[in-house]
Amino acid sequence: MELLSGADMIARFLQDEGVEYIYGYPGGAALHIYDALFRQDKVKHILVRHEQAATHAADGYARASGKPGTVLVTSGPGATNAVTGIATAYMDSIPMVVLCGQVASHLIGEDAFQETDIIGVTRPIVKHSFSIKHPSEIPEVLKKAYYLASTGRPGPVVVDIPKDMTAPTERYEYVYPKKIKMRSYNPVARGHTGQIKKAVDLMLKAKRPMFYTGGGVVTGRASEGLTDLVKRLGYPITTTLMGIGSYPQSDRQCLGWLGMHGSYESNMAMHHADLIIAIGARFDDRVTNNTSKFCPTAKIVHVDIDPSSVSKTVRADVPIVGPAGSVINEMISLLQGKEIEHPDALGEWWQKIEGWREERAGKLYEPSQSGEALKPQEVIEALCEATRGEAYVTTDVGQHQMFAAQYYKFDKPNRFITSGGLGTMGFGFPAAMGIKQNFPDEQVICVTGEGSFQMMMQELSTCKQFGGGVKIVNLNNASLGMVRQWQDLNYKSRHAHSYMESLPDFSKLIEAYGFTALRVETKDELGPALERTFADNHELVFLDVIVDPREHVYPMQVPLGSMRDMLLSKTERT
């Protein structure tokens, strides 16, 4: 029988659970745990410079690997600094376990130094939370936390750990729980066969079908099955922002992604479809626009692992609660030996879609001329070419995020890493850092803007200490680009506080941390700068690209319209 303190139990459990990296920042209430981590060498702790960065780094790792990220913070301000990252993971259904130090249990409720009711604060933005009541329960509670975070609809789990629960003087028996049972938690393992049969019948009868897939396909590791299903039927497919890469974007059947800044052809096809097969997507408002005008002629099949998401915003004709992977596999087996009923209608549907594609071909943006400021779109296209579309690409939030999603073509899942639901500026750089530390031989790029980058730029110090050859591509338009775009469209170009005055000299800033900085102002400089950026995979390089500040992201849905109501440029609309 092995006797361990609560703190040593935590360190041992993380080893037994296979956790390689934990991101965190020490403080009084967590110091027993930090001491236990110091006395072992299997779990590597990455000291971030702000707790928000710890959550984003763990989140980036989780999105890229599919495994839960792990965070360790202290009580009070340490825990509250992690709240934005917890909310980011919650909105995008990302598995994460956040270990929070807490004041000693006899002080809880006394407004003690650095006390915050972090369970109460985070209740609306976690999948579940636990508070340790006795050191002996630590292994079981942690096993439950990792199980909850990574099964069903994934999400963040907070574990609140009072300091006296980790005291080195008190020791209890430690046994790693290999299995866990939770009477009140039984995530569905497969969909209802009767409902899946109904869905397949509708799919075979459809004349204008559309697959619409989201992040649930990526987190459910169902991309391979989805690709097989879509290829088998020959139907068009569009994805959400979170679903990018769940189906190869270079394939003819993929119409890009849909919604507010989605492609013209995907939004038009969705609006005119007679059947929408939604898998692992939640009909978010960035996709549907006005729900009362959403896809007026379509029947809807909705597959989701979370029963509360089905028919929540748009009523499903065939609701299916189940994991994307098993439902897709059952659909494939039910389709064996069956033919679609209206092949001629499908041919006409594809003609219509190709017509929409051709309407916009060559009209997406005006490339820069010699001596002009670069267009952000051409920077992303050059970036995609330089990395053959194979890099892990994280983004912050704003115009650069939309340009990255539109012009970098992803053929694999888990490669486009962005804050979709919460839209968190500052997410991109620490997320890239978390991915690079876990996948050191892969190309990892953070596409950012000077507004977002300044929110988490202190993590350059973390990269200096722990390594991490992230490539940071800053689309520098000296403004909060998306805010300015809205101000141009809705506020007669009154740019209230969207111009970023007093920007640092990024070259000097980056060099102060001992890294390489490059500045690009013209198209002629872009190619050689990208070559230099990617010359050494393990070197952090900051590429400061000066882009046209007047450029807008198009298409852009007209607020309160249907999916087909779009602005196509500053002067045209559908």
Side-chain angles (χ1 to χ4, degrees):
M1 186 171 71
E2 189 173 21
L3 297 178
L4 296 177
S5 71
D8 284 322
M9 282 187 191
I10 292 167
R12 177 66 64 82
F13 176 88
L14 295 173
Q15 292 177 14
D16 291 343
E17 189 68 13
V19 173
E20 286 182 76
Y21 288 95
I22 184 166
Y23 297 87
Y25 203 95
L31 281 186
H32 294 326
I33 305 170
Y34 269 91
D35 189 60
L37 287 172
F38 185 82
R39 289 181 279 105
Q40 57 83 54
D41 56 7
K42 287 184 182 166
V43 181
K44 190 170 182 185
H45 180 275
I46 303 294
L47 175 66
V48 294
R49 273 43 176 177
H50 189 288
E51 291 89 351
Q52 184 179 333
T55 52
H56 293 332
D59 182 325
Y61 161 73
R63 292 179 199 238
S65 69
K67 300 173 188 172
T70 306
V71 176
L72 173 59
V73 294
T74 192
S75 64
T80 57
N81 278 349
V83 166
T84 299
I86 293 169
T88 301
Y90 178 76
M91 288 290 277
D92 291 342
S93 306
I94 305 303
M96 184 192 294
V97 174
V98 183
L99 308 176
C100 293
Q102 182 56 281
V103 299
S105 47
H106 70 277
L107 292 174
I108 290 173
E110 300 286 328
D111 290 336
F113 177 66
Q114 291 195 329
E115 181 192 357
T116 300
D117 174 13
I118 198 61
I119 298 270
V121 169
T122 59
R123 187 164 277 123
I125 52 166
V126 294
K127 184 173 176 183
H128 196 66
S129 47
F130 295 95
S131 183
I132 301 294
K133 302 288 190 242
H134 192 275
S136 61
E137 68 181 30
I138 285 173
E140 188 182 0
V141 168
L142 291 184
K143 189 67 180 176
K144 285 178 179 176
Y146 279 90
Y147 174 62
L148 283 165
S150 55
T151 54
R153 180 180 180 173
V157 175
V158 163
V159 183
D160 195 40
I161 309 168
K163 188 168 184 179
D164 52 324
M165 298 295 116
T166 58
T169 50
E170 292 188 34
R171 299 181 175 211
Y172 299 90
E173 185 183 358
Y174 172 81
V175 178
Y176 173 71
K178 288 198 170 71
K179 285 187 177 175
I180 208 79
K181 271 191 178 177
M182 298 181 72
R183 197 174 54 187
S184 58
Y185 177 70
N186 293 297
V188 287
R190 53 190 305 250
H192 187 283
T193 299
Q195 292 296 90
I196 297 171
K197 278 180 179 164
K198 281 185 198 171
V200 168
D201 286 345
L202 284 178
M203 285 154 69
L204 292 169
K205 290 186 173 99
K207 295 180 178 176
R208 300 185 307 281
M210 273 291 285
F211 278 96
Y212 150 51
T213 61
V217 174
V218 177
T219 55
R221 302 185 190 190
S223 298
E224 211 174 297
L226 174 72
T227 305
D228 183 9
L229 176 64
V230 173
K231 285 276 184 201
R232 199 176 283 257
L233 288 163
Y235 292 173
I237 178 170
T238 181
T239 74
T240 65
L241 194 70
M242 299 305 303
I244 286 175
S246 57
Y247 184 91
Q249 285 193 307
S250 60
D251 188 80
R252 170 188 160 272
Q253 284 170 247
C254 185
L255 309 191
W257 51 280
L258 78 169
M260 178 175 266
H261 293 293
S263 73
Y264 174 72
E265 56 267 33
S266 67
N267 283 348
M268 293 297 280
M270 282 288 285
H271 182 81
H272 292 282
D274 69 349
L275 177 67
I276 305 290
I277 307 124
I279 305 178
R282 59 188 176 88
F283 294 87
D284 174 71
D285 62 291
R286 299 285 106 165
V287 163
T288 60
N289 207 356
N290 187 339
T291 51
S292 67
K293 299 177 182 177
F294 178 73
C295 303
T297 56
K299 283 203 155 109
I300 290 171
V301 172
H302 190 184
V303 180
D304 204 288
I305 199 162
D306 179 6
S308 72
S309 288
V310 179
S311 293
K312 182 167 146 186
T313 53
V314 173
R315 193 185 72 81
D317 296 280
V318 182
I320 302 169
V321 176
S326 75
V327 172
I328 287 168
N329 291 339
E330 199 163 340
M331 285 176 168
I332 291 169
S333 65
L334 288 169
L335 284 166
Q336 299 287 355
K338 293 182 180 169
E339 301 288 328
I340 58 171
E341 291 183 20
H342 303 287
D344 293 346
L346 183 64
E348 287 167 24
W349 179 227
W350 268 113
Q351 277 182 330
K352 191 91 175 149
I353 289 168
E354 295 298 352
W356 287 322
R357 260 186 182 150
E358 282 163 30
E359 267 180 65
R360 297 303 300 155
K363 294 184 184 176
L364 297 175
Y365 70 93
E366 289 284 331
S368 63
Q369 302 303 311
S370 182
E372 288 183 349
L374 279 156
K375 294 292 169 67
Q377 299 95 321
E378 58 196 351
V379 178
I380 301 296
E381 285 183 328
L383 193 61
C384 186
E385 197 177 325
T387 56
R388 299 181 301 285
E390 292 175 356
Y392 286 92
V393 178
T394 73
T395 79
D396 279 293
V397 172
Q399 285 182 323
H400 65 269
Q401 175 191 30
M402 297 295 104
F403 289 132
Q406 288 175 335
Y407 292 94
Y408 196 104
K409 298 303 174 196
F410 295 89
D411 283 345
K412 295 177 186 170
N414 306 92
R415 296 279 167 153
F416 181 62
I417 313 287
T418 195
S419 168
L422 198 65
T424 307
M425 291 175 71
F427 170 83
F429 179 34
M433 188 174 73
I435 296 166
K436 186 67 178 176
Q437 277 152 356
N438 286 275
F439 301 99
D441 298 325
E442 298 285 348
Q443 288 286 13
V444 182
I445 304 164
C446 168
V447 176
T448 187
E450 71 294 328
S452 289
F453 181 69
Q454 289 184 95
M455 290 195 173
M456 284 281 128
M457 64 187 182
Q458 76 282 340
E459 297 311 310
L460 288 164
S461 179
T462 306
C463 288
K464 186 176 183 183
Q465 182 176 350
F466 295 97
V470 174
K471 313 303 180 188
I472 304 161
V473 179
N474 183 36
L475 299 185
N476 190 339
N477 58 10
S479 64
L480 300 175
M482 193 59 89
V483 175
R484 278 174 72 106
Q485 176 165 335
W486 280 79
Q487 288 170 336
D488 285 338
L489 294 170
N490 299 324
Y491 300 93
K492 297 182 179 173
S493 294
R494 293 188 294 273
H495 297 142
H497 299 284
S498 55
Y499 175 57
M500 295 295 281
E501 297 183 48
S502 319
L503 282 175
D505 179 334
F506 283 113
S507 296
K508 287 180 180 172
L509 177 75
I510 302 303
E511 284 162 9
Y513 282 99
F515 298 124
T516 302
L518 307 169
R519 183 178 166 97
V520 171
E521 295 186 29
T522 66
K523 196 181 272 190
D524 294 340
E525 296 170 343
L526 184 59
L530 285 171
E531 205 171 306
R532 169 67 190 86
T533 300
F534 294 107
D536 180 353
N537 188 18
H538 300 288
E539 177 191 25
L540 188 147
V541 180
F542 185 94
L543 187 59
D544 192 22
V545 188
I546 310 306
V547 295
D548 187 345
R550 297 159 300 176
E551 197 65 14
H552 284 184
V553 181
Y554 294 110
M556 181 180 182
Q557 284 181 340
V558 176
L560 301 179
S562 69
M563 292 204 73
R564 70 174 172 184
D565 297 323
M566 289 170 275
L567 300 171
L568 301 176
S569 71
K570 289 180 183 178
T571 54
E572 334 162 58
R573 62 175 284 172
T574 51

